[in-house]
Amino acid sequence: GAVVSQHPSWVICKSGTSVKIECRSLDFQATTMFWYRQFPKQSLMLMATSNEGSKATYEQGVEKDKFLINHASLTLSTLTVTSAHPEDSSFYICMVATNEKLFFGSGTQLSVL
Amino acid sequence: GESVGLHLPTLSVQEGDNSIINCAYSNSASDYFIWYKQESGKGPQFIIDIRSNMDKRQGQRVTVLLNKTVKHLSLQIAATQPGDSAVYFCAENMGSSNTGKLIFGQGTTLQVKP
């Protein structure tokens, strides 16, 4: 079945810097990937839908200029948190949807100092 | 033991007992539902799913029940083990099946006492 690889697993950065998170579909060509965010002790919230070869679709309240999504190939989507601030510290998770199942990445814990 | 999902976020059970975790979903048009298990610092792990044309589905030690009339979903875990300790989320798929646009419930922490 499809396997999703997400990198890095955790990252610590200074406020104002940008951080890139990669999500790779290893066994499946994914035209669509999804990015979720999870704050401590809270549920997962959908941030955006990443579409291969076109612009991402953002959920209400998610700043597209702050959370840049690039889906340049069928196996890779990247989420860049630009000018990160402490309030962006969160667990970011990607997900790939195949015809039958949904597969999550292992998540990236972002800590902004 | 039984939780009311959104109002009782922690369920504590004795090892070997059966666990029931409840979830209320929001959209009567949702046609696909999934239960996930999440351990600390990890991504969600698929447990079991059910489509809206079914009211019950069984897996290994787990059963999902769907009541569309009251928009209620439950996860039953038989003979709960310490390794079952985690946070459990229900998710509803808004719109067509497998679109990936999942709306997650609040989550219930399951604590298994040895």
Side-chain angles (χ1 to χ4, degrees):
Chain A
V3 176
V4 179
S5 174
Q6 187 173 341
H7 179 82
S9 299
W10 57 270
V11 58
I12 301 173
C13 69
K14 293 182 179 180
S15 184
T17 60
S18 295
V19 174
K20 180 185 285 188
I21 302 169
E22 293 186 349
C23 182
R24 294 182 183 273
S25 175
L26 301 182
D27 296 325
F28 181 77
Q29 292 186 324
T31 56
T32 304
M33 295 186 183
F34 302 86
W35 287 97
Y36 287 82
R37 177 170 56 182
Q38 185 179 32
F39 292 107
K41 299 190 183 302
Q42 293 189 25
S43 190
L44 286 79
M45 296 294 293
L46 179 65
M47 299 176 65
T49 302
S50 172
N51 304 299
E52 188 268 334
S54 64
K55 293 182 180 180
T57 304
Y58 291 83
E59 295 300 303
Q60 189 174 8
V62 178
E63 300 175 59
K64 62 180 181 180
D65 295 329
K66 181 169 184 62
F67 299 99
L68 300 179
I69 292 174
N70 184 283
H71 194 155
S73 77
L74 290 172
T75 59
L76 175 64
S77 175
T78 61
L79 169 68
T80 301
V81 183
T82 62
S83 187
H85 292 285
E87 58 265 30
D88 298 322
S89 297
S90 186
F91 192 55
Y92 293 86
I93 310 170
C94 68
M95 185 179 73
V96 170
T98 69
N99 290 333
E100 297 180 352
K101 285 194 179 296
L102 307 171
F103 296 90
F104 281 94
S106 55
T108 298
Q109 181 64 53
L110 171 63
S111 297
V112 185
L113 305 179
Chain B
E2 180 173 341
S3 83
V4 190
L6 295 178
H7 299 288
L8 292 176
T10 300
L11 173 65
S12 185
V13 300
Q14 201 70 37
E15 180 179 358
D17 287 352
N18 296 333
S19 303
I20 301 175
I21 302 173
N22 294 305
C23 177
Y25 63 92
S26 58
N27 190 343
S28 57
S30 294
D31 64 354
Y32 181 56
F33 306 88
I34 313 169
W35 278 101
Y36 287 100
K37 170 186 178 183
Q38 187 180 29
E39 298 174 352
S40 181
K42 297 183 179 179
Q45 177 186 350
F46 174 90
I47 300 174
I48 192 168
D49 59 1
I50 189 168
R51 300 194 184 278
S52 59
N53 61 351
M54 303 171 68
D55 53 22
K56 180 179 180 179
R57 190 168 187 215
Q58 289 184 294
Q60 188 177 13
R61 282 203 305 122
V62 295
T63 301
V64 55
L65 299 178
L66 174 63
N67 186 331
K68 295 182 289 293
T69 303
V70 295
K71 293 190 288 187
H72 184 269
L73 199 63
S74 69
L75 176 69
Q76 301 176 1
I77 304 174
T80 313
Q81 302 169 0
D84 295 327
S85 295
V87 178
Y88 289 79
F89 293 98
C90 67
E92 59 182 305
N93 194 321
M94 309 283 279
S96 301
S97 299
N98 293 341
T99 62
K101 189 165 183 174
L102 299 179
I103 304 300
F104 283 82
Q106 178 185 1
T108 298
T109 300
L110 176 64
Q111 297 176 342
V112 182
K113 297 177 289 186

